[in-house]
Amino acid sequence: MSLLQIEHISKKWDNRLVLDDVTFEIPKNKTTVILGKSGGGKSTLLKIIAGLVNPDEGDIKIDNVIQAKAFQLLIPGNDLIKLVNQDFQLDIYHTVEENIRLKILHLKQDEQVALTEELLELFELNSIANKKALQISGGEQQRLALARALALEPKFLLLDEPFVHLDQSMKTKVGDFLTRLKEKKKTSIVLVTHDGKEALSWGDRIIFLQQGKIMREDAPKAFYEHPTDFEEGLFFGELNEINYLGKKRFFRPEMYVFSDSKDAISVTFHTNRYIGRGYLNYGITKQKENIVIESKEALKNTLTIIPT
C-alpha cells in the first residue's frame, strides 16, 4: 500500500490565490473527504494531485517520491492516480460496454468479460450496454465514468462530486462499492464535495477547505459533535448556537434533554416540520435565540431543555 503526500501546494488563477500552502496526507486504505464551498479550490486541488494541472508551488509525492508535474509529461496524468470529475471523459462514439472494456484490454479475455459484467451490473448499466455514450443521460454518463475509473483499479481514486447526478439508491450502492474497493483492493479514495452529510457518510477523515486554506482536519464524528464555529457546523446539518451558563455553546437538534433544572433553557415553539423519523421543532428562547430540536412528536407551547 502506498502513501500519497500533498506538500505545500499553492496555485493562482488570474492572480487570484485559489490554493494557499495546502499540506496533508492521504492515509492508506481510507476515504479522505475534502469539504468546502463551491469555488473554494477543491477541484483545482484534485487536478494537481492527478498530475493534470501544474501547481505554482509544492509537490505531490507517493511514498516520499516526488511525482512528475503536468508540464513535465508528454500526456498529463499519473497512472497510479485516477480522477473522475464532471467532464466524465468518455469515448462518446463507443458503446457503454466498450467504454469499460477498452480500459482493461491488458487483462485476459475471460477477466475482461467478468469485470465488465460486474461493473455493468453494479452501476445498473446493463439495459444500456449497447448504447453509445453520447446517447445516454448525464446521470448514466456519470455512472459510466465511475465504472471506467474503477475498472483500472488505481492505487488512488479521486472523485469530484461523485454523487451529484445519482439518486439516493444509487448513491448507497456506489458508496458501498467504494467501501469494498478500499477494503479488497487497498485503494485510497479522495472524495470532493460541498455536502457535509455526504462527508459524514463516506469519509474516514474530513479536510475542511475554505478560501484555498485547510481550516481543519478531523474525524467525521468530531466535526459533527464539536464544530469550531457556526459556519463550519452548518455544513453538517442543523445547528444551534446559544449563550449557555455564560459561554457560547453549539449543539445539534438531537443533543438535548427535557429538564426542570434551574439551568434549563426555556424555549417557546412555533413551527414543526415532519422529517419521517419524527419532527424538527423550531422555537425561540427568552434571549431571542433561535432553536431547533428533534423529537418523536410535534412540540408546542413553552418547554425547558438542557443541551447535552
Side-chain angles (χ1 to χ4, degrees):
M1 294 185 291
S2 300
L3 179 67
L4 183 61
Q5 301 148 298
I6 292 84
E7 296 189 351
H8 305 292
I9 296 295
S10 293
K11 180 68 178 179
K12 287 183 178 180
W13 290 122
D14 298 325
N15 293 319
R16 182 175 72 89
L17 189 63
V18 294
L19 293 170
D20 186 2
D21 195 26
V22 172
T23 297
F24 61 96
E25 291 184 348
I26 304 301
K28 301 173 183 178
N29 195 26
K30 299 290 184 182
T31 297
T32 299
V33 176
I34 302 174
L35 175 69
K37 292 181 179 179
S38 298
K42 305 186 301 299
S43 295
T44 297
L45 178 57
L46 282 195
K47 290 176 182 177
I48 290 173
I49 295 172
L52 301 173
V53 168
N54 295 312
D56 295 332
E57 296 179 14
D59 293 301
I60 304 300
K61 296 180 179 179
I62 296 178
D63 293 335
N64 293 311
V65 177
I66 295 176
Q67 302 299 293
K69 297 177 174 61
F71 77 92
Q72 297 171 315
L73 299 167
L74 181 62
I75 300 176
N78 188 316
D79 289 340
L80 299 176
I81 304 171
K82 182 61 181 177
L83 169 63
V84 179
N85 58 22
Q86 300 306 307
D87 296 333
F88 301 150
Q89 297 178 337
L90 304 175
D91 296 324
I92 60 173
Y93 296 110
H94 283 103
T95 67
V96 169
E97 182 177 4
E98 288 169 344
N99 263 275
I100 298 173
R101 185 167 49 79
L102 290 173
K103 288 291 183 181
I104 52 175
L105 294 178
H106 59 286
L107 299 178
K108 294 179 181 178
Q109 182 66 30
D110 59 339
E111 293 175 340
Q112 291 179 33
V113 172
L115 182 54
T116 300
E117 289 179 350
E118 179 185 3
L119 291 169
L120 287 171
E121 181 177 357
L122 171 70
F123 290 100
E124 297 182 1
L125 297 169
N126 282 314
S127 63
I128 57 171
N130 295 319
K131 283 189 175 183
K132 292 182 178 179
L134 61 78
Q135 297 173 317
I136 63 179
S137 71
E140 290 166 341
Q141 287 182 347
Q142 183 170 40
R143 282 147 53 192
L144 177 55
L146 285 166
R148 278 163 51 98
L150 296 179
L152 294 170
E153 298 186 345
K155 287 184 177 294
F156 305 99
L157 181 62
L158 313 183
L159 304 174
D160 191 353
E161 302 282 1
F163 303 122
V164 70
H165 294 297
L166 307 180
D167 60 29
Q168 189 57 51
S169 174
M170 184 56 63
K171 283 182 184 181
T172 301
K173 288 182 180 180
V174 172
D176 289 345
F177 186 84
L178 293 176
T179 299
R180 296 199 305 272
L181 183 73
K182 69 183 180 183
E183 291 172 353
K184 292 183 178 181
K185 302 296 185 180
K186 309 304 180 186
T187 304
S188 299
I189 298 169
V190 183
L191 188 157
V192 154
T193 183
H194 64 273
D195 187 328
K197 293 181 180 179
E198 286 183 3
L200 293 176
S201 295
W202 305 116
D204 297 302
R205 197 80 175 163
I206 298 174
I207 294 171
F208 183 52
L209 195 68
Q210 193 171 47
Q211 295 181 339
K213 289 186 178 182
I214 293 179
M215 307 306 293
R216 181 181 177 186
E217 182 177 352
D218 218 327
K221 192 172 188 290
F223 268 104
Y224 184 78
E225 296 183 358
H226 305 289
T228 303
D229 55 45
F230 193 69
E231 183 178 2
E232 175 201 288
L234 282 179
F235 271 91
F236 304 97
E238 298 268 15
L239 182 67
N240 296 301
E241 179 182 11
I242 62 171
N243 190 298
Y244 182 64
L245 302 180
K247 294 182 179 180
K248 183 186 291 187
R249 177 72 180 270
F250 301 115
F251 69 99
R252 298 289 177 185
E254 71 277 15
M255 296 177 179
Y256 73 96
V257 293
F258 292 112
S259 175
D260 294 327
S261 165
K262 63 180 179 64
D263 294 329
I265 304 163
S266 179
V267 184
T268 300
F269 293 97
H270 53 76
T271 306
N272 316 107
R273 181 160 64 90
Y274 183 63
I275 56 172
R277 62 178 180 268
Y279 292 83
L280 287 179
N281 306 276
Y282 297 85
I284 191 166
T285 70
K286 289 182 178 179
Q287 287 73 40
K288 306 301 180 183
E289 298 162 318
N290 292 314
I291 290 283
V292 54
I293 66 172
E294 184 177 330
S295 64
K296 292 293 185 182
E297 304 295 333
L299 302 180
K300 300 178 181 179
N301 304 320
T302 300
L303 300 169
T304 52
I305 66 169
I306 287 180
T308 58

